[in-house]
Amino acid sequence: MEIGVFLTVILLAISSPFGIGAQFGEDYVRPQPRKTLAFPRRPRHSSDPQQVHISLAGEKHIRISWITDNESSPSIVEYGISPGEYTSSSQGERTSYSYLLYSSGNIHHVVIGPLYDSTIYFYRLGGQGPEFHLKTPPSQFPVTFTVAGDLGQTGWTESTLKHIDECEYDTHLLPGDLSYADYLQHRWDSFGALVQPLASSRPWMVTEGNHEKESIPFFKSGFQAYNARWKMPYEESGSTSNLYYSFEVAGVHVVMLGSYTDYHADSDQYAWLKEDLAKVDRERTPWLLVLLHAPWYNSNRAHQGEGNSMRASMEPLLYAAGVDILIAGHVHAYERSERVYDRGLDRCGAVHITIGDGGNREGLAQRFRNPKPEWSVFREASFGHGELKVANATHAFWSWHRNDDDEPVQSDQTWINSLISTGCVGEDRRRKKILLAS
Ligand SMILES: *[C@@H]1O[C@H](CO)[C@@H](O)[C@H](O)[C@H]1NC(C)=O
Ligand SMILES: *[C@@H]1O[C@H](CO)[C@@H](O)[C@H](O)[C@H]1NC(C)=O
Ligand SMILES: [Fe+2]
């Protein structure tokens, strides 16, 4: 425990006095960071399920994850399409972990299905306790994603979550940095409780950021809490690691990459990515999205260049596959690019979006590099969230909403045309050359 507390104090000292409240735009005063919310500790003597969240787990299946403190509470989900009438049930697995002096509760993961599309299911966990409900995503366009990275658990996080909840979304995408527990494991529990109202009713698909690592040299390898608590469909997508995987929703193939695990050409992640991209069928999934934590195109002064090495390794593969949109977090601000490849404009490259502005306690990254690079279309240091409404195989509407005085103000918006609709997939000569070479 001492080591954990010590490291946290150091981390807090380095990272917190960030938001100086400097006025960046002309008419909008940047908000200060808000304090981490005060939560009660995990209730110890209840059998009721806690920290419920759901994720997609292969076609027509959903994984339900929750925590109990009762050792004998079974890993069972009962569910059905009418309240209180559970016509099906599934059994799953459980795990737990300890970290220094902390011991987690029993962490249950149960996959249910096959399920109908766009349908509300009612469910109960461990054979007792309250009823939850979830909505399965559609199998066809339109489909709506919400996006926010670097969430944390502050007053601003609450505001972001409220705005996400007000959007009629099908699946939430989180490009890394979830709880900002930073070695204090009970903060993973309070984060689980904070997001439960949303994450128990719509799939939350996450990838890891630097704050998930929590490694202690010679003592703790990284991602222990993250992997135990936020199990994603890596097995279902042919990956051997929870740190990278893919999934499909309606006509969208989404690849979740790991910025903090090996990505070089001889790595498992690289080999898996190549295979996964080769399997993408653009007739079935006309849209191809990638999420990762450390941005590859970033004109903010914060975290400058941190994504360069991963970009150098993997960008050719993504370009060859015709990735439409790449979403990153890490920088606590918003930025959207033109279509780019190899550090320049390219009509067949991806649109890059940095959206690490969920509201964590470190505050905003207020300083951008000047002059603005030609590839950068829109940039602003505010907390907020994004919405991606994929209308059909050719058109998607992207909007970014800042938390202006607690109201979601739509700030940036654009239609994005899919690369298949602009003749970029499978046709481009440069792309074929890269494919042959890799
Ligand atoms: C723990 O769970 C078991 C099985 O569901 C149940 O019989 C028992 O009453 C629970 N114990 C407590 C303290 O709630
Ligand atoms: C796709 O959606 C866009 C925007 O709503 C619309 O203008 C276009 O006609 C649609 N295309 C097809 C083939 O339906
Ligand atoms: Fe980060």
Side-chain angles (χ1 to χ4, degrees):
M1 194 65 182
E2 257 84 77
I3 300 175
V5 170
F6 174 73
L7 288 171
T8 305
V9 167
I10 302 247
L11 283 168
L12 285 173
I14 297 169
S15 59
S16 62
F18 220 81
I20 320 134
Q23 202 156 324
F24 187 82
E26 278 127 55
D27 49 1
Y28 181 57
V29 180
R30 305 290 127 190
Q32 296 283 342
R34 285 181 179 173
K35 284 214 181 82
T36 295
L37 298 165
F39 288 101
R41 296 252 166 160
R42 197 176 83 229
R44 284 282 175 178
H45 300 292
S46 162
S47 276
D48 282 353
Q50 305 162 38
Q51 306 174 47
V52 184
H53 65 88
I54 68 170
S55 49
L56 301 170
E59 211 186 339
K60 297 194 184 298
H61 286 75
I62 279 186
R63 175 173 282 109
I64 302 182
S65 304
W66 75 98
I67 294 181
T68 55
D69 279 300
N70 182 344
E71 289 285 335
S72 41
S73 181
S75 304
I76 181 170
V77 177
E78 299 158 283
Y79 62 100
I81 54 173
S82 306
E85 280 180 41
Y86 308 123
T87 50
S88 307
S89 75
S90 292
Q91 299 252 12
E93 53 178 358
R94 69 151 104 175
T95 183
S96 63
Y97 73 97
S98 53
Y99 196 96
L100 306 175
L101 294 182
Y102 173 92
S103 301
S104 77
N106 295 291
I107 304 170
H108 308 263
H109 299 291
V110 177
V111 174
I112 63 169
L115 305 171
Y116 299 113
D117 310 312
S118 301
T119 301
I120 294 176
Y121 282 85
F122 299 86
Y123 63 97
R124 189 170 71 162
L125 304 171
Q128 66 165 83
E131 181 175 83
F132 296 88
H133 59 87
L134 63 85
K135 183 164 174 277
T136 58
S139 62
Q140 288 175 350
F141 300 123
V143 59
T144 300
F145 299 94
T146 49
V147 190
D150 302 68
L151 266 181
Q153 40 193 316
T154 72
W156 283 117
T157 315
E158 258 186 331
S159 172
T160 303
L161 291 176
K162 187 168 151 269
H163 301 154
I164 290 172
D165 204 19
E166 283 161 9
C167 168
E168 296 215 347
Y169 71 103
D170 298 302
T171 297
H172 182 63
L173 304 174
L174 201 167
D177 280 1
L178 284 67
S179 71
Y180 284 72
D182 297 330
Y183 305 92
L184 298 183
Q185 295 301 307
H186 68 269
R187 286 202 189 148
W188 277 106
D189 293 317
S190 53
F191 179 78
L194 175 65
V195 301
Q196 173 179 299
L198 281 77
S200 63
S201 63
R202 296 290 183 283
W204 271 43
M205 307 308 288
V206 304
T207 189
E208 77 281 7
N210 51 309
H211 286 269
E212 273 67 68
K213 247 192 286 178
E214 303 185 307
S215 60
I216 301 173
F218 309 111
F219 195 57
K220 282 283 176 198
S221 59
F223 304 112
Q224 196 178 0
Y226 174 75
N227 284 339
R229 293 166 184 269
W230 289 83
K231 182 172 183 181
M232 290 290 124
Y234 68 95
E235 287 148 326
E236 291 84 346
S237 54
S239 160
T240 53
S241 167
N242 192 44
L243 302 179
Y244 47 89
Y245 65 95
S246 69
F247 63 96
E248 290 182 350
V249 188
V252 186
H253 186 94
V254 186
V255 179
M256 303 295 249
L257 294 180
S259 293
Y260 302 94
T261 185
D262 196 359
Y263 41 69
H264 294 106
D266 59 355
S267 66
D268 287 346
Q269 181 174 206
Y270 188 97
W272 171 82
L273 173 62
K274 219 174 138 179
E275 253 176 54
D276 189 72
L277 292 174
K279 280 188 260 178
V280 175
D281 172 359
R282 294 305 266 271
E283 296 273 313
R284 195 160 46 89
T285 54
W287 288 86
L288 182 50
L289 258 58
V290 171
L291 273 84
L292 50 79
H293 190 60
W296 294 357
Y297 290 82
N298 165 30
S299 75
N300 195 291
R301 289 179 184 235
H303 303 302
Q304 195 42 242
E306 286 180 25
N308 285 0
S309 147
M310 188 182 192
R311 188 192 61 70
S313 167
M314 290 182 154
E315 193 181 30
L317 284 185
L318 301 192
Y319 183 75
V323 169
D324 288 292
I325 303 171
L326 186 149
I327 295 168
H330 203 33
V331 175
H332 303 163
Y334 170 75
E335 183 160 26
R336 173 169 63 85
S337 81
E338 301 278 7
R339 289 199 173 277
V340 284
Y341 176 61
D342 196 16
R343 286 177 281 186
L345 303 184
D346 188 318
R347 57 175 280 275
C348 292
V351 171
H352 286 248
I353 291 165
T354 301
I355 187 159
D357 58 2
N360 68 74
R361 61 175 156 69
E362 294 174 346
L364 292 166
Q366 312 220 15
R367 295 190 307 152
F368 286 98
R369 279 183 154 184
N370 287 313
K372 187 167 85 158
E374 65 168 344
W375 54 258
S376 181
V377 184
F378 189 106
R379 52 189 199 172
E380 182 177 320
S382 295
F383 300 117
H385 78 279
E387 296 176 8
L388 181 67
K389 297 179 191 232
V390 186
N392 52 38
T394 58
H395 287 67
F397 187 72
W398 166 259
S399 57
W400 175 68
H401 309 248
R402 74 151 92 110
N403 298 351
D404 184 1
D405 299 324
D406 292 322
E407 298 301 320
V409 175
Q410 184 170 308
S411 198
D412 179 32
Q413 58 179 73
T414 185
W415 280 98
I416 299 176
N417 295 317
S418 62
L419 289 179
I420 62 155
S421 72
T422 56
C424 280
V425 174
E427 313 260 317
D428 189 70
R429 280 169 59 214
R430 193 167 164 203
R431 167 168 294 120
K432 283 205 176 121
K433 236 168 88 185
I434 293 168
L435 267 179
L436 287 175
S438 66

